[in-house]
Amino acid sequence: MTQKKIDDMLASYDKDNLTICTVCSHSSLQIFNGARKEGFKTLGIAVGKERKKFYDAFPLGRPDEFLVVDDYKKILKNADKLKQKNVIVIPHGSFVEYLGAKNFLKLDLPTFGNRDVLMWESDRGKEREWLEGAGLTMPKEVKDPKKIEKPVIVKYHGAKGGKGFFIAKTYEEFEKRINKRKPYTIQEFVMGTRYYLHYFYSPISNDAYKIKKGSLQLLSMDRRDETTIDEVQRLGSIAELEEIGIHPTFVVTGNIPIVMRESLLPKVFDMGKRVVEKSLKLFGGIIGSFCLETVVTEDLEFKVFEISARIVAGTNPYISGSPYSELIQPDLSTGRRIAQEIKYANKKNKLSDILS
Ligand code: AMP
């Protein structure tokens, strides 16, 4: 999708009747609820008609209307129908993952954020080039498994929600567990506490933490709840369990709200600013919500192991605001902040600056 095509599409839109649209999953309740609070119409794409059912239980998170498709690929075929409704698509993690990056790039509809970020986010090498190039510290990579001297985490490429990841403390342990048919990365296992930082970058507003172009907000943070690693200790130490062949797993099942020592916030903003400014140089900028996944070490150093370039499910505990967003505006969720950005851009005739 070229920006020219997006602009042509926007030119044909009825701008007084925009519809906020996303796939019914992940953070959609929050996105619909936020859009509703800002006065937008909402449309949910339900993959399979069973998906619709539970939305009836949440009237304030239910979209005004549904489009039911039987699989993700069919979304592409419905683009014209959706265009008639002046939709603006809000991508989230499940949307991009299940539709597939290539198809997401082909989606013929105005989409919130910069789709060029995908290339930098989905390739672990490029992600490292971006984040380290911005001056952030990432966990060290171990290229040769024979050189494993400290605990490492082994990650399979494209694994969904941490599935299949494992910890190894020695080369022998690595050899026992690795599936060499799947591409993988070996990373230093960083000891510390995890914080998932939810930022919002606006290239068109200047009323928050100022950066080279536009400004940055911190809306919330969470810690992921991962089965079985987060509760396995109820049964015994990890070392004990591994001896009898029970290995911890890292599958995300939920999110826990968290706040951080206030004295660490300057570092949080500095990291966010660096990531955005580098992204402006590399690919025209990461727009809207993004999340830095970090571990804070005992020396109060941040190590960033991943970036997610859109709304993350970790923002879901904050449908009615977080301890941080409450200091910006009461009742401000990330979903609502996205809707506000679209509303403001529309008013200022700047939709093209925040959509791709
Ligand atoms: P990811 O898919 O990269 O977000 O990783 C899934 C989970 O593995 C994270 O939420 C963390 O709990 C854990 N994890 C990932 N990378 C590291 C690391 N380098 N050190 C410690 N834990 C990690």
Side-chain angles (χ1 to χ4, degrees), residues 7 10 14 17-19 34 37 70 76 129 146 178 187 195 202 204 253 285 313 315 329 331-332 335 349:
D7 291 347
L10 286 173
D14 174 359
N17 271 307
L18 295 177
T19 301
K37 282 179 179 154
D70 49 20
L76 296 183
E129 188 186 328
K146 294 205 176 84
I178 191 69
Q187 222 174 57
Y195 291 85
S202 169
I204 56 173
T253 50
T315 59
Q329 180 189 333
D331 222 17
L332 180 68
N349 225 354

Side-chain angles (χ1 to χ4, degrees), residues 139 155 165 187-190 194 196 224 226 293 306:
K155 302 180 174 187
F165 289 12
Q187 222 174 57
E188 155 201 18
F189 187 92
V190 183
R194 290 168 298 131
Y196 299 71
R224 283 188 191 161
E226 292 168 346
E293 304 180 9
E306 184 120 29

